[in-house]
Amino acid sequence: MAEKNDIQVVINGRIYNLSGYEDTDYLQEVANYMNSKIAECKTSDGFQRMSPEYQNILLAINIADDYFKAKNLTGQLAELDDEKEKQIYDLRHEVIEKQIKYESSMKMVEEYKEQVNLLQRKIIQLEAEKTRQDT
């Protein structure tokens, strides 16, 4: 099982202790994300005039918005992946069908070549018989 990691991070100018089973780089990335969302909210008109409770709600809504957008994108990408997999499956079957037709055609070509050879021998035989009859 993974070892629990602890790290001190700065979020919105305050030091916090984060801990988790993820590596410390990931935990720092989470803190950086929080700082960027806070900075983004602070650029909004009126954010500083809101009570800390409303500021936190606005921050949570922004994070939830990012989450749902990422979740929807993930779903769209999964659907696209499924579509591509189906296309690949269909193409593989098409290739197999073409290969079977090709092999069947090649077999027919070989059979026709044999028939042509037999007919050529028959022609030579008949010409030889005719030549004998003419003499």
Side-chain angles (χ1 to χ4, degrees):
M1 186 169 175
E3 187 177 312
K4 195 171 187 178
N5 294 309
D6 295 314
I7 184 175
Q8 283 191 338
V9 296
V10 176
I11 299 175
N12 200 24
R14 299 180 78 188
I15 297 174
Y16 294 92
N17 290 316
L18 291 184
S19 63
Y21 292 101
E22 296 81 7
D23 64 28
T24 55
D25 289 340
Y26 175 80
L27 296 172
Q28 184 61 56
E29 189 178 348
V30 170
N32 292 341
Y33 172 77
M34 289 298 299
N35 281 321
S36 70
K37 291 312 287 183
I38 291 167
E40 183 182 317
C41 287
K42 284 182 177 180
T43 63
S44 167
D45 291 337
F47 182 79
Q48 296 297 334
R49 292 186 302 246
M50 293 179 182
S51 70
E53 180 182 359
Y54 278 112
Q55 288 178 350
N56 289 334
I57 293 294
L58 182 61
L59 180 62
I61 289 170
N62 275 273
I63 292 170
D65 179 52
D66 287 351
Y67 167 77
F68 282 106
K69 285 178 181 173
K71 185 178 174 183
N72 288 336
L73 180 60
T74 301
Q76 291 170 358
L77 292 174
E79 286 177 19
L80 184 62
D81 188 49
D82 290 345
E83 248 179 67
K84 297 295 181 192
E85 285 294 325
K86 185 185 179 313
Q87 288 175 352
I88 289 170
Y89 178 83
D90 291 344
L91 287 172
R92 283 183 179 153
H93 281 278
E94 189 176 323
V95 166
I96 290 169
E97 286 176 15
K98 299 290 184 195
Q99 188 174 11
I100 290 169
K101 284 182 181 179
Y102 171 77
E103 289 171 0
S104 175
S105 297
M106 292 307 292
K107 186 177 179 183
M108 286 177 64
V109 166
E110 290 303 316
E111 289 172 2
Y112 289 147
K113 281 182 181 178
E114 287 178 28
Q115 288 178 4
V116 166
N117 285 336
L118 286 173
L119 290 172
Q120 284 176 337
R121 279 188 248 140
K122 184 75 173 178
I123 290 171
I124 292 170
Q125 183 183 11
L126 289 172
E127 285 176 347
E129 285 178 18
K130 183 179 184 229
T131 305
R132 271 185 270 156
Q133 287 177 358
D134 290 343
T135 54

